[in-house]
Amino acid sequence: MPTKTLTFETRLDLIHEQDAALCQYAELWNQVKFHWFANLQKPKAQQLSRTQFMHEMGMPFSYRVFQGVRQSIKGLIQSYQTNRNNRLVTLDVKIKQLEKTLNKLNKRCDHVAEKGCPQQAKKLRNTLRQKEVKLRRWQRKQAALVAEKQENKTPICFGGRKLLKERQALETGSAIEGWKQRWHEARHREFLLVGSHDESWGCQNAQLSPSEQEDAYQLKLLVPHQLRATFGTTITIDHLQFKHGKAAIAQAVWQNQVKKHDKSIKGQPLSFRFKRDKKGWRLLVSVEVAGPKEQAEWIGDDQGVIGVDVNPDHLAVVELDRNGNPLQHRTFDLPLHYKNDAQRAAIIGDAVRDLMDFAAQQSKAVVIEKLDFQQKKRHYQKQDHPQYARMLNAFAYGKIKDLIETQSIKRGIHLYHVKPAYTSLLGRMKYRDRHGFSDHHAAALVIGRRHYGFKEKPPKQLMGINAKGTVKTEHPPVRMALGDYQYYNKLQRWYQPLEKSLDFLSGWRHFRRVNRVSYSVEARLDGRPGMSPDLIQESTTLLSAHPAL
């Protein structure tokens, strides 16, 4: 049964002693965290084991508390490495595009110099010089990131680089003291306690149990040995209420409560993260959420699926039957540009909710691509258009993926993943004009069909008509003994220049022969700007007399 870990938060109402205890706990926990991170940055031969490290630190924590330190550091390192890979992808695309621009500018400079236009040549040389400086700067950044990756370094600044740089501009003693206070708070403002299913109440060091008040809980926090002389053995925080996730938290607490009396029942692990901000302390509780227990209650792919193509500005959705035929298509907009993080999260949540409502209404499973942000970002950056750059800046690809997975588990809707290779290419070639779809809906159709294992073969011939009314026919390359990846790669190289030659009008692409009957040219060209009725009639006559038909 698939599960998903969700996190819900609440604000803690603490007295002065409890606030001081949490601050001391966070300071001690983060000191261990900094030392453990420094230990991991050493060569493997010089790194200390967990036991050696804990003895060196004076055994400040139990093993379960130290697990929170290790998981926190592991998450930071993985996050930094992922961001570094994304920066390398972005720089690689930018450098290649800038190199192409420089080649064009060089040719243009030579052409202008030959024509004898000194002022225009001077402006072009200045532009060329500025772009060369930008290219060298990007190349230096790329080389530094590549070297850092090869050396397996992870330069993380605890407290933030922005706050660290503020220290250089301070001169007076009072300003420096104020900065030190802010620096200390930024570095010691959170700690994590990891739970396990075999521990009491799901976590050994922070136990969440029902309170006397309805829909409220009590939290007992176990204090480290170094702080017990000052704050006692435990800290009890009452009247905790959660605005979201009430059912999931209540289910986990009830399961842990029953486990105390029935050892055969598996407990529910709970992890607690305490974070301090300007308003005080927040508590974030992570709990595993599962779908329906009975497999029969899950919505499967017996009656068809919903193919989804995720894009920066919308979700393209196509409903398919069991034989891979499209029934209807929908579009769920994602206007993320000029929105803050909270607004983007709300917009994405609404779009995903509408998508899952549509899937539940049709009683069909959902199929999406195996989302790869780097690959998708490289694809859109190659479009070389400011609109795509703005979309990518606001594109919360991972957020969309997580919400779709979460909603599918909550609602008991099966979610399937397929390979994303060449879905857009095959959609444009085969289904865009046949069904009147956009490029993205055609890709969603290919995604849904790929789940059932249908082989997508290109049409035997592609035909188009240019502005003069001349019919053009092209045949795709023969598959021969090539594998799927090599064949589709060869097919893409053949198709791209052909598509440019056929796309002479907005909205007109190409058409293919179906059962020796062509699509209506009048229906596709009538009303297009620049197309006169005489040209339409002439094109229709030429097309009908074409020997291929």
Side-chain angles (χ1 to χ4, degrees):
M1 183 172 57
T3 60
K4 182 74 173 180
T5 301
L6 302 181
T7 301
F8 308 99
E9 72 170 88
T10 184
R11 180 71 63 175
L12 298 180
D13 186 13
L14 305 175
I15 61 177
H16 177 70
E17 292 181 356
Q18 292 175 339
D19 180 78
L22 292 183
C23 290
Q24 291 292 328
Y25 200 139
E27 184 172 353
L28 182 62
W29 189 89
N30 280 281
Q31 289 298 325
V32 176
K33 175 182 173 181
F34 301 154
H35 284 82
W36 179 249
F37 177 77
N39 176 57
L40 294 180
Q41 298 306 301
K42 299 177 182 178
K44 288 189 176 181
Q46 302 177 10
Q47 291 180 10
L48 300 177
S49 64
R50 180 188 65 85
T51 306
Q52 294 172 339
F53 176 80
M54 295 300 289
H55 280 296
E56 187 177 283
M57 290 291 298
M59 297 296 292
F61 290 138
S62 63
Y63 170 74
R64 294 304 303 169
V65 178
F66 185 70
Q67 279 295 98
V69 174
R70 297 173 69 177
Q71 287 196 16
S72 179
I73 291 296
K74 182 180 179 180
L76 284 173
I77 293 176
Q78 289 180 349
S79 176
Y80 181 84
Q81 292 175 350
T82 301
N83 291 333
R84 181 174 59 194
N85 292 335
N86 291 335
R87 288 198 297 268
L88 284 172
V89 171
T90 303
L91 284 173
D92 182 59
V93 175
K94 284 183 175 181
I95 288 173
K96 290 181 179 178
Q97 291 178 348
L98 189 55
E99 288 175 346
K100 292 181 180 179
T101 304
L102 287 174
N103 291 332
K104 293 180 181 179
L105 282 175
N106 280 319
K107 294 179 181 179
R108 190 176 176 186
C109 284
D110 297 338
H111 179 68
V112 171
E114 292 177 359
K115 291 178 64 177
C117 301
Q119 294 183 352
Q120 188 177 359
K122 183 178 179 180
K123 291 181 180 180
L124 288 175
R125 282 195 295 269
N126 289 335
T127 304
L128 184 64
R129 191 180 305 110
Q130 293 173 1
K131 292 189 178 296
E132 288 176 347
V133 172
K134 183 186 292 187
L135 177 62
R136 288 194 294 269
R137 183 170 67 250
W138 285 349
Q139 288 174 342
R140 286 196 297 269
K141 287 183 180 180
Q142 186 185 41
L145 290 174
V146 170
E148 179 184 289
K149 184 177 181 179
Q150 291 176 349
E151 296 174 3
N152 198 22
K153 292 183 178 180
T154 313
I156 297 176
C157 179
F158 296 98
R161 298 178 187 274
K162 181 179 179 180
L163 185 58
L164 181 62
K165 291 180 180 179
E166 291 182 9
R167 173 64 181 84
Q168 301 175 359
L170 303 178
E171 296 180 356
T172 61
S174 59
I176 294 175
E177 290 298 324
W179 176 86
K180 287 182 178 179
Q181 180 65 24
R182 289 185 287 118
W183 177 249
H184 184 272
E185 291 176 357
R187 288 167 57 88
H188 305 85
R189 61 185 178 186
E190 68 174 356
F191 61 95
L192 172 65
L193 302 176
V194 180
S196 177
H197 65 87
D198 57 348
E199 296 179 355
S200 178
W201 294 103
C203 184
Q204 176 179 309
N205 298 281
Q207 299 180 351
L208 189 68
S209 59
S211 179
E212 296 179 356
Q213 183 180 351
E214 186 179 0
D215 291 336
Y217 301 93
Q218 181 186 74
L219 180 67
K220 289 185 178 180
L221 180 64
L222 188 64
V223 178
H225 295 283
Q226 286 84 343
L227 305 178
R228 291 183 180 178
T230 307
F231 302 105
T233 305
T234 60
I235 300 173
T236 303
I237 304 174
D238 289 318
H239 310 300
L240 289 180
Q241 291 183 329
F242 295 87
K243 186 177 180 181
H244 302 287
K246 294 181 180 179
I249 294 177
Q251 173 66 24
V253 172
W254 175 84
Q255 190 171 340
N256 289 325
Q257 189 175 12
V258 174
K259 174 182 174 294
K260 298 179 64 177
H261 306 285
D262 188 356
K263 301 300 181 181
S264 62
I265 296 178
K266 187 177 181 180
Q268 179 71 275
L270 295 174
S271 296
F272 301 87
R273 184 182 294 273
F274 296 82
K275 299 191 71 172
R276 184 179 177 86
D277 54 21
K278 295 180 180 179
K279 296 182 180 180
W281 285 93
R282 292 184 297 137
L283 174 64
L284 293 88
V285 181
S286 297
V287 57
E288 290 185 356
V289 176
K293 294 182 179 179
E294 298 295 333
Q295 190 69 18
E297 299 179 9
W298 283 81
I299 297 177
D301 60 345
D302 298 336
Q303 304 299 323
V305 295
I306 305 291
V308 181
D309 182 49
V310 182
N311 299 281
D313 57 343
H314 71 281
L315 300 177
V317 179
V318 175
E319 179 189 358
L320 296 82
D321 61 13
R322 180 59 182 84
N323 297 319
N325 301 315
L327 301 178
Q328 58 176 320
H329 64 282
R330 297 285 183 88
T331 301
F332 301 105
D333 293 329
L334 294 172
L336 303 179
H337 190 44
Y338 291 122
K339 301 296 190 299
N340 57 34
D341 292 341
Q343 291 172 332
R344 291 172 186 170
I347 292 172
I348 293 172
D350 291 342
V352 172
R353 182 197 60 205
D354 295 340
L355 167 64
M356 303 311 292
D357 287 343
F358 177 65
Q361 182 182 2
Q362 305 301 324
S363 298
K364 293 184 177 180
V366 176
V367 183
I368 62 175
E369 299 173 320
K370 291 181 180 178
L371 300 177
D372 184 357
F373 176 77
Q374 295 182 17
Q375 182 179 358
K376 202 77 172 179
K377 190 171 184 179
R378 187 185 292 109
H379 169 72
Y380 281 109
Q381 282 180 330
K382 286 181 179 179
Q383 304 294 332
D384 195 19
H385 195 279
Q387 178 185 3
Y388 292 103
R390 288 193 295 267
M391 288 180 184
L392 284 170
N393 190 39
F395 193 20
Y397 215 58
K399 185 71 173 178
I400 297 173
K401 171 189 174 183
D402 292 339
L403 282 178
I404 291 178
E405 291 179 351
T406 302
Q407 289 293 323
S408 66
I409 292 175
K410 283 184 176 180
R411 302 191 181 209
I413 300 174
H414 275 297
L415 178 66
Y416 301 100
H417 298 80
V418 298
K419 294 181 180 180
Y422 301 104
T423 54
S424 299
L425 171 67
L426 294 170
R428 286 197 304 269
M429 292 180 59
K430 294 195 64 176
Y431 304 113
R432 177 178 58 186
D433 297 315
R434 179 191 294 184
H435 301 291
F437 286 167
S438 66
D439 289 352
H440 306 297
H441 286 96
L445 177 58
V446 176
I447 290 171
R449 288 174 55 84
R450 185 167 289 182
H451 165 68
Y452 287 117
F454 292 117
K455 298 295 183 181
E456 302 292 353
K457 297 180 180 179
K460 295 182 179 180
Q461 60 185 13
L462 294 177
M463 304 178 64
I465 182 171
N466 58 23
K468 297 180 180 180
T470 304
V471 176
K472 183 176 182 179
T473 305
E474 291 287 346
H475 298 271
V478 181
R479 180 180 289 269
M480 296 183 294
L482 297 176
D484 285 342
Y485 180 82
Q486 293 175 315
Y487 173 69
Y488 287 132
N489 193 11
K490 183 179 180 182
L491 189 67
Q492 186 178 33
R493 293 197 302 270
W494 164 83
Y495 177 77
Q496 286 177 345
L498 172 65
E499 186 181 25
K500 292 180 180 179
S501 67
L502 299 179
D503 292 347
F504 67 95
L505 281 178
S506 175
W508 165 255
R509 301 299 187 199
H510 56 265
F511 56 91
R512 61 170 298 219
R513 184 175 60 174
V514 180
N515 296 329
R516 301 187 64 83
V517 178
S518 67
Y519 289 98
S520 172
V521 179
E522 294 90 343
R524 289 182 175 273
L525 300 185
D526 192 14
R528 301 291 185 186
M531 291 299 293
S532 63
D534 295 337
L535 180 56
I536 295 175
Q537 182 63 32
E538 180 184 356
S539 303
T540 308
T541 305
L542 288 170
L543 181 63
S544 60
H546 196 271
L549 298 175

